[in-house]
């Protein structure tokens, strides 16, 4: 099996233009490239390549995808075969994941594959329905085209679930799509009362949610009606429920397109919802993403960190409620920004203005052109927050003073020049550079004290490395203790905690792992992974080219450690 890091590398490096040009000749057409489709017969070119986000789409036969998908289709290869071929072309060394897989794990992989295939079938249905010759499909199509443009919507695979109870159920029966799998991801539900299966999404524009490799793993469905037949209010958006391949707290909407640009620019743009992502990506702000829950989770932040270290937050502009200064969009972004800073990101904010007569506005409706996006003032999060915090302290529930509260935000910032730069900006909000510096030093001291306390009760990282007397050398761990006094090599990698999770809610720890060849990956350990060396080794080696060398000494070291 090919390791995940190879697939990632291939996706990052594979340049769609050069992949497609191995088979057909492309002609420039605006910001895209065109040719006659290699997958169906045609005289006028409707096959379009998008170099800006490394995807392709044929407006004739409706096929589309990324570089791996193109090679799979063109050469009739499986996913791993296509990855191997592209790895060769773009000079990515193949690393085989040779960990023995349990039967359970193999079954799970097969199940995941089956779900991907099922979603591809379902996707065809939703796209057909959007283009159907019915009044409701025409209404849906009009909505979609007005909102995101004809070409972009089609290339993105936006579809429609008609307002019927049996549409998808019937389609599945005639197209060999498993009803059981549809039920598992709750695209279809069972009614005990009527003894029948029924479509879960009805009368909704269907926006596909993809994993980072571009596989569909769920949908976000936007209703076109405010109420149902009984007059009850319908939720505007319904998202897929969690499944084996979709987890709301880990999935990031737009990551399949955004990751490449983010990796290049070291920046992600965070907006509130999937429609905002669609709009910004349609105007070539490709590094835009959204979470599909109410708040960004630490798991999602860790994924973003794998590609970029800078975040630009674009809040919705909501009219403030009675007696308040700031709307919910601003308050949400404050929460996101604080957490992101604590996790070591560099954070900026781009505020959009309220709509006409102070109505709600969001990134999707405001940023009609890329210039409109670029013209938005980009502010450093900390001074931006400071202004808000000091102007309307009553809207913030906190036990500390505004200055202490703002100083807390420096805890994750280590570079002195960055601290100086921000103090200068804060000095424009509230005069007093030495006052700010003092408050920051004090906040850091308080934090370190609390951290030390936590660490002494925290056996995780310390146990495995520091307590064993390991030292780091050239991205490996060595130990010099023992009778021989010769350095003993223990690993071909080192681990570095990505961030400390301050609240002790989660027993999850995230580390960056880097081997001596410079291959990097992110690994998460649950508490139980770190208790025994055997479990730890199993976890590490499932990542690919990261090896923990088992030796007889290990048992001794383990014993020593336990006896302490
Ligand atoms: Zn075609």
């Amino acid at each position: 099996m090919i390791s995940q890091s190879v697939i990632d590398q291939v996706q990052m490096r594979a340049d769609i233009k050069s992949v497609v040009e191995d088979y057909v000749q492309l002609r420039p057409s605006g910001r895209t490239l065109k040719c006659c489709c290699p997958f169906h017969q045609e005289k006028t070119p409707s096959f379009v390549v998008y170099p800006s986000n490394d995807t392709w789409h044929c407006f004739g036969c409706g096929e589309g995808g990324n570089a791996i998908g193109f090679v799979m289709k063109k050469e009739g290869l499986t996913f791993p075969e296509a990855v191997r071929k592209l790895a060769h072309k773009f000079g990515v060394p193949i690393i085989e994941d040779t960990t023995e897989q349990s039967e359970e794990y193999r079954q799970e992989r097969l199940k995941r594959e089956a779900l991907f295939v099922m979603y591809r079938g379902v996707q065809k249905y939703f796209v057909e329905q959007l283009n159907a010759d019915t009044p409701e499909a025409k209404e849906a199509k009009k909505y979609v085209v007005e909102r995101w443009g004809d070409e972009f919507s089609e290339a993105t695979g936006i579809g429609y679930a008609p307002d019927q109870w049996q549409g998808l159920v019937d389609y599945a029966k005639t197209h060999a799509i498993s009803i059981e799998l549809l039920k598992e991801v709750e695209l279809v539900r069972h009614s005990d009362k009527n003894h029948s299966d029924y479509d879960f999404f009805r009368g909704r524009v269907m926006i596909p949610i993809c994993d980072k490799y571009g596989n569909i793993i769920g949908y976000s469905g936007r209703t076109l009606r405010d109420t149902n037949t009984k007059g009850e209010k319908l939720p505007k958006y319904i998202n897929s429920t969690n499944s084996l391949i979709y987890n709301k707290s880990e999935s990031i909407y737009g990551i399949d397109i955004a990751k490449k640009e983010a990796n290049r620019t070291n920046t992600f743009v965070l907006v509130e919802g999937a429609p905002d992502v669609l709009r910004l990506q349609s105007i070539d702000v490709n590094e835009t993403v959204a979470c599909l829950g109410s708040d960004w989770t630490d798991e999602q932040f860790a994924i973003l960190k794998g590609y970029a270290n800078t975040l630009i937050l674009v809040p919705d502009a909501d009219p403030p409620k009675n007696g308040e200064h700031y709307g919910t969009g601003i308050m949400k972004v404050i929460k996101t920004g604080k957490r992101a800073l604590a996790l070591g990101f560099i954070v900026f904010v781009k505020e959009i203005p309220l709509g006409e007569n102070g109505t709600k506005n969001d990134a999707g409706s405001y940023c009609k052109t890329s210039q409109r996006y670029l013209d938005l003032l980009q502010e450093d999060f900390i001074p931006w927050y400071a202004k808000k915090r000091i102007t309307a302290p009553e809207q913030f529930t906190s036990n500390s003073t505004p200055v202490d509260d703002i100083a807390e935000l420096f805890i994750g910032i280590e570079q002195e020049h960055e601290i100086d730069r921000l103090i200068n900006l804060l000095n424009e909000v509230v005069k007093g550079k030495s006052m700010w510096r003092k408050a920051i030093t004090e906040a850091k001291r308080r934090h370190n004290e609390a951290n030390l306390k936590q660490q002494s009760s925290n056996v995780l990282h310390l146990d495995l490395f520091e307590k064993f007397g390991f030292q780091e050398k050239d991205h490996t761990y060595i130990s010099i203790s023992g009778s021989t006094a010769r350095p003993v090599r223990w690993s071909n990698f080192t681990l570095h905690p990505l961030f400390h999770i301050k609240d002790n809610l989660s027993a999850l720890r995230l580390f960056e792992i880097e081997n001596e060849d410079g291959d990097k990956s992110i690994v998460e350990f649950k508490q139980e992974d770190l208790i025994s060396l055997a479990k730890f080794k199993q976890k590490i080696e499932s990542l690919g080219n990261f090896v923990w060398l088992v030796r007889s000494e290990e048992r001794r070291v383990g014993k020593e450690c336990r006896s302490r």
Side-chain angles (χ1 to χ4, degrees):
M1 205 179 95
I2 301 177
S3 84
Q4 288 290 323
S5 67
V6 173
I7 303 171
D8 264 348
Q9 282 290 315
V10 165
Q11 289 221 324
M12 298 308 263
R13 288 196 212 170
D15 153 41
I16 189 73
K17 178 171 177 278
S18 100
V19 172
V20 174
E21 275 182 335
D22 283 348
Y23 305 91
V24 285
Q25 208 182 342
L26 291 166
R27 268 201 215 108
S29 161
R31 288 173 311 174
T32 64
L33 300 152
K34 275 189 176 171
C35 68
C36 284
C37 180
F39 305 120
H40 83 280
Q41 284 290 328
E42 63 175 4
K43 292 209 177 88
T44 39
S46 49
F47 183 92
V48 184
V49 165
Y50 301 91
S52 66
N53 64 20
D54 280 291
T55 61
W56 58 277
H57 185 80
C58 172
F59 290 88
C61 60
E63 292 289 342
N66 57 21
I68 298 175
F70 181 84
V71 172
M72 281 168 73
K73 200 163 163 60
K74 193 77 196 85
E75 303 256 351
L77 300 178
T78 62
F79 183 83
E81 287 166 349
V83 169
R84 272 173 220 278
K85 189 170 166 83
L86 287 173
H88 182 72
K89 178 172 165 72
F90 293 97
V92 178
I94 295 275
I95 301 162
E96 298 287 345
D97 186 348
T98 52
T99 344
E100 281 237 354
Q101 270 129 24
S102 62
E103 183 55 26
E104 197 185 349
Y105 179 79
R106 280 225 317 275
Q107 290 301 332
E108 190 185 299
R109 265 193 53 213
L110 288 175
K111 184 71 169 290
R112 292 170 70 91
E113 279 304 319
L115 288 170
F116 292 144
V117 171
M118 177 215 72
Y119 268 119
R120 286 200 282 273
V122 169
Q123 172 63 9
K124 276 210 168 108
Y125 168 72
F126 287 143
V127 169
E128 269 175 28
Q129 291 303 312
L130 184 71
N131 295 304
D133 192 16
T134 62
E136 73 165 306
K138 284 187 177 138
E139 185 200 340
K141 179 93 182 176
K142 185 165 167 274
Y143 172 87
V144 166
V145 169
E146 272 173 13
R147 193 146 186 194
W148 300 294
D150 198 0
E151 193 179 302
F152 179 78
S153 309
E154 191 180 329
T156 317
I158 295 172
Y160 180 63
D163 204 359
Q164 298 168 14
W165 293 90
Q166 302 285 323
L168 179 58
V169 171
D170 289 343
Y171 182 88
K173 284 178 188 154
T174 52
H175 289 77
I177 298 172
S178 153
I179 297 276
E180 285 316 304
L181 290 181
L182 287 173
K183 280 190 195 160
E184 192 162 319
V185 300
E186 295 197 37
L187 278 168
V188 165
R189 284 188 178 180
H190 185 77
S191 157
D192 288 333
K193 207 173 103 201
N194 300 326
H195 307 289
S196 67
D197 299 327
Y198 65 94
D199 295 9
F200 176 64
F201 289 94
R202 298 180 304 280
R204 286 177 183 269
V205 165
M206 300 298 281
I207 303 170
I209 301 167
C210 294
D211 66 9
K212 61 179 177 174
Y213 304 118
N215 298 307
I216 296 177
I217 53 173
Y219 285 94
S220 184
R222 164 73 157 87
T223 184
L224 291 181
R225 314 188 193 323
D226 294 334
T227 53
N228 64 13
T229 46
K230 290 181 200 152
E232 295 156 341
K233 202 170 179 322
L234 290 168
K236 213 185 223 183
Y237 285 93
I238 296 183
N239 295 333
S240 283
T241 37
N242 283 353
S243 70
L244 182 64
I245 56 173
Y246 174 64
N247 183 337
K248 198 169 74 177
S249 63
E250 288 170 8
S251 298
I252 298 171
Y253 184 78
I255 189 83
D256 52 320
I257 300 294
K259 62 176 189 181
K260 198 152 177 172
E261 186 67 6
N263 194 53
R264 205 176 60 77
T265 59
N266 195 22
T267 303
F268 276 108
V269 175
L270 273 55
V271 292
E272 260 201 33
D276 304 314
V277 174
L278 286 172
R279 168 55 64 83
L280 286 183
Q281 291 188 347
S282 79
I283 55 169
D284 276 349
V285 186
N286 283 310
E287 64 274 36
T288 310
V289 287
C291 68
L292 292 160
S294 49
D295 289 316
W296 285 87
T297 64
D298 284 358
E299 287 91 340
Q300 289 164 330
F301 279 127
I303 294 166
L304 297 181
K305 209 132 229 183
Y307 302 103
N309 199 32
T310 301
L311 304 179
I312 299 172
L313 313 179
V314 186
D316 277 5
D318 300 297
K321 286 182 212 126
N322 267 350
E324 291 186 346
H325 260 77
Y326 313 115
T328 47
I330 299 283
M331 297 309 283
K332 241 185 192 179
V333 151
I334 285 173
K335 197 172 168 196
T336 306
K338 282 184 168 181
R339 188 71 193 134
L341 276 175
L343 299 176
F345 284 98
I346 297 165
V347 187
F348 296 96
V349 180
K350 274 181 180 249
E351 248 189 89
I352 54 173
L354 282 164
E356 259 174 66
N357 306 319
T359 51
K360 182 181 167 65
N361 214 356
D362 58 34
S365 41
Y366 180 79
C367 299
K368 294 208 157 59
T369 60
S370 55
Q371 199 53 47
R372 264 197 124 162
Y373 169 78
L374 292 170
D375 286 345
L376 290 169
L377 177 66
Q378 181 168 321
E379 298 178 76
D380 279 275
F381 178 83
I382 293 181
W384 173 84
Y385 170 68
K387 262 181 264 168
K388 301 245 182 285
R389 180 73 175 83
I390 284 161
T391 312
E394 65 280 8
Q395 202 174 336
F396 299 86
T397 42
S398 167
N399 293 325
S400 39
T401 66
V403 168
D404 285 342
D405 189 20
I406 294 157
E408 293 272 325
L409 301 180
F410 283 79
I411 283 165
I413 305 174
E414 273 155 22
Q415 304 87 340
E416 276 307 316
H417 63 92
E418 178 66 2
I419 295 173
D420 288 344
R421 189 181 72 83
L422 289 167
I423 287 179
N424 282 334
L425 291 170
L426 280 175
N427 191 44
E428 289 166 23
V429 183
V430 174
K431 279 257 168 288
K433 286 191 194 178
S434 58
M435 181 265 304
W436 283 116
R437 182 161 296 283
K438 211 175 131 208
I440 292 164
T441 312
E442 189 52 28
K444 289 194 170 215
R445 191 193 57 76
R446 279 196 308 270
H447 174 75
N448 288 341
E449 223 165 61
N451 230 12
L452 269 181
K453 252 190 210 150
Q454 197 200 317
Q455 274 191 12
S456 58
S457 65
N458 180 353
V459 294
L460 298 177
H461 195 221
L462 291 171
D463 234 18
L464 282 164
F465 302 106
E466 284 141 52
K467 276 194 189 171
F468 287 170
F470 291 157
Q471 298 176 16
E472 256 189 73
K473 190 172 183 282
D474 305 329
H475 293 295
T476 66
Y477 287 115
I478 57 167
S479 65
I480 311 186
S481 57
S483 51
T484 59
R486 262 204 337 255
V488 179
R489 213 173 105 112
W490 288 85
S491 70
N492 74 342
F493 64 83
T494 49
L495 286 165
H496 296 278
L498 260 189
F499 42 73
H500 301 288
I501 296 172
K502 271 199 295 188
D503 55 28
N504 238 343
L505 284 178
S506 157
L508 207 67
R509 294 293 182 272
L510 288 147
F511 292 84
E512 182 179 69
I513 184 165
E514 180 172 8
N515 70 14
E516 53 194 335
D517 300 330
D519 295 335
K520 283 184 192 174
S521 183
I522 288 178
V523 54
E524 54 177 58
F525 290 109
K526 299 197 179 78
Q527 192 126 15
E528 67 252 34
D529 295 327
L530 290 160
I531 288 167
S532 88
L533 280 167
K535 277 220 162 135
F536 170 77
K537 177 179 153 60
Q538 198 181 12
K539 178 89 188 188
I540 292 287
E541 296 188 351
S542 73
L543 297 171
N545 191 18
F546 301 99
V547 186
W548 183 257
L549 310 156
V550 186
R551 296 159 186 281
S552 56
E553 290 99 306
E554 185 170 282
R555 268 168 237 131
R556 223 166 50 225
V557 178
K559 255 181 211 150
E560 271 169 33
C561 177
R562 265 196 300 281
S563 63
R564 270 181 213 174

